[in-house]
């Protein structure tokens, strides 16, 4: 089997949770890791732990994203894995939502994914090698009350991922979207005592990302849905 080999990864929208777990796992697997966030200083501890390098970037700014890719290439190396993990919510009764908040939510959740994917593909296509992974949510497939902007952004991201997979998988680029269907366990958010295992473990999510990266191209997944095993659906 032809198992892909990757060397350098960029995680955009890095912080605690999925991106931190994924950074640890990728570093453990021997990849050089770059992390991008609006506030790069918050990533200091994770960088010290993993050997990753942090970069400041507003994922909704075309100039910022273009600059990010240039800096990462110059300081770390040519990218062959890019993960888009950024999102933003605007909650509230629909008729009371502020248009500027909705626009920003959609920009972070979806438009930023476009900007990042475009820069990544421009660099991956000449070698016909690379992987771009998008982090979705329950809202990627079902819109919840008082959460329309988040659903709008996540639906858009999923639709873009499907389009990219159909366009670029035949050119050697693995595109995959992950539906994270459930709450994610963290240091400040644990399962209720009467519902053990009812939340997703971010380390387990990261393993699923890695498993997709290791798929032979004769059997690629373009979408993976993960949820706690006790979840009813």
């Amino acid at each position: 089997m032809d198992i892909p080999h990757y060397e350098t990864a960029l995680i955009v929208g890095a912080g605690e949770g999925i991106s931190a777990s994924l950074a640890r796992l990728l570093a453990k697997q021997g990849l050089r890791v770059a992390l991008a966030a609006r506030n790069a200083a918050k990533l200091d501890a994770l960088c010290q732990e993993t050997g990753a390098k942090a970069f400041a970037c507003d994922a909704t700014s075309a100039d910022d994203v273009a600059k990010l890719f240039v800096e990462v290439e110059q300081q770390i190396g040519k990218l062959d894995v890019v993960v888009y993990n950024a999102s933003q919510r605007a909650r509230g009764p629909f008729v009371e939502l502020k248009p500027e908040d909705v626009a920003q939510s959609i920009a972070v959740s979806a438009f930023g994914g476009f900007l990042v994917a475009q820069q990544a593909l421009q660099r991956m296509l000449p070698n016909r090698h690379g992987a771009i992974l998008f982090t979705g949510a329950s809202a990627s497939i079902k819109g919840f009350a008082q959460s329309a902007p988040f659903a709008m952004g996540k639906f858009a991201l999923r639709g873009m991922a499907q389009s990219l997979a159909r366009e670029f998988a035949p050119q050697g680029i693995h595109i995959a979207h992950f539906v994270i269907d459930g709450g994610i366990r963290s240091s400040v958010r644990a399962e209720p005592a009467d519902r053990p295992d009812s939340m997703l473990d971010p380390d387990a999510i990261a393993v699923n990302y890695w498993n997709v990266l290791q798929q032979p191209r004769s059997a690629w997944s373009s979408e993976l849905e993960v949820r706690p095993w006790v979840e009813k659906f």
Side-chain angles (χ1 to χ4, degrees), residues 24-89:
R24 295 184 186 102
L25 180 56
L26 293 177
K28 183 178 179 181
Q29 294 294 337
L31 279 74
R32 298 182 294 270
V33 179
L35 306 172
R38 285 177 183 266
N39 176 15
K42 72 177 183 180
L43 302 171
D44 287 348
L46 184 59
C47 287
Q48 291 177 8
E49 178 186 352
T50 62
K53 186 172 180 58
F55 298 83
C57 178
D58 175 357
T60 67
S61 164
D63 290 342
D64 263 26
V65 172
K67 179 183 176 184
L68 168 66
F69 275 78
V70 171
E71 290 180 343
V72 171
E73 285 185 325
Q74 291 175 342
Q75 298 183 37
I76 295 184
K78 198 165 189 177
L79 289 164
D80 49 16
V81 175
V82 172
V83 181
Y84 192 73
N85 196 54
S87 63
Q88 183 168 315
R89 299 172 186 259

Side-chain angles (χ1 to χ4, degrees), residues 8-218:
T8 308
L10 167 64
I11 302 173
V12 178
E16 297 181 356
I18 295 174
S19 52
S21 292
L22 187 56
R24 295 184 186 102
L25 180 56
L26 293 177
K28 183 178 179 181
Q29 294 294 337
L31 279 74
R32 298 182 294 270
V33 179
L35 306 172
R38 285 177 183 266
N39 176 15
K42 72 177 183 180
L43 302 171
D44 287 348
L46 184 59
C47 287
Q48 291 177 8
E49 178 186 352
T50 62
K53 186 172 180 58
F55 298 83
C57 178
D58 175 357
T60 67
S61 164
D63 290 342
D64 263 26
V65 172
K67 179 183 176 184
L68 168 66
F69 275 78
V70 171
E71 290 180 343
V72 171
E73 285 185 325
Q74 291 175 342
Q75 298 183 37
I76 295 184
K78 198 165 189 177
L79 289 164
D80 49 16
V81 175
V82 172
V83 181
Y84 192 73
N85 196 54
S87 63
Q88 183 168 315
R89 299 172 186 259
R91 294 180 181 274
F94 188 82
V95 296
E96 297 176 11
L97 291 170
K98 297 180 180 179
E100 58 271 25
D101 292 341
V102 175
Q104 181 65 13
S105 177
I106 297 171
V108 174
S109 295
F111 181 62
F114 157 75
L115 294 175
V116 168
Q118 188 176 63
Q119 290 291 328
L121 285 163
Q122 289 171 358
R123 290 160 169 81
M124 294 175 178
L125 283 171
N127 295 321
R128 299 176 69 87
H129 169 71
I132 305 175
L133 311 181
F134 299 98
T135 299
S138 303
S140 302
I141 55 176
K142 49 189 174 185
F144 293 94
Q146 300 197 6
S147 189
F150 192 55
M152 292 160 71
K154 287 300 185 181
F155 264 70
L157 187 73
R158 185 184 185 217
M160 183 183 70
Q162 292 178 357
S163 294
L164 297 186
R166 289 181 168 90
E167 182 174 356
F168 295 108
Q171 300 183 59
I173 313 302
H174 192 174
I175 308 289
H177 174 263
F178 294 79
V179 178
I180 311 302
D181 191 12
I184 300 172
R185 186 187 306 156
S186 70
S187 59
V188 296
R189 189 183 182 196
E191 297 104 341
D194 60 343
R195 294 185 63 207
D197 272 3
S198 62
M199 300 185 75
L200 288 145
D201 182 339
D203 291 342
I205 296 172
V207 169
N208 278 284
Y209 279 55
W210 177 250
N211 288 343
V212 168
L213 287 174
Q214 294 300 290
Q215 291 176 338
R217 62 184 181 181
S218 65

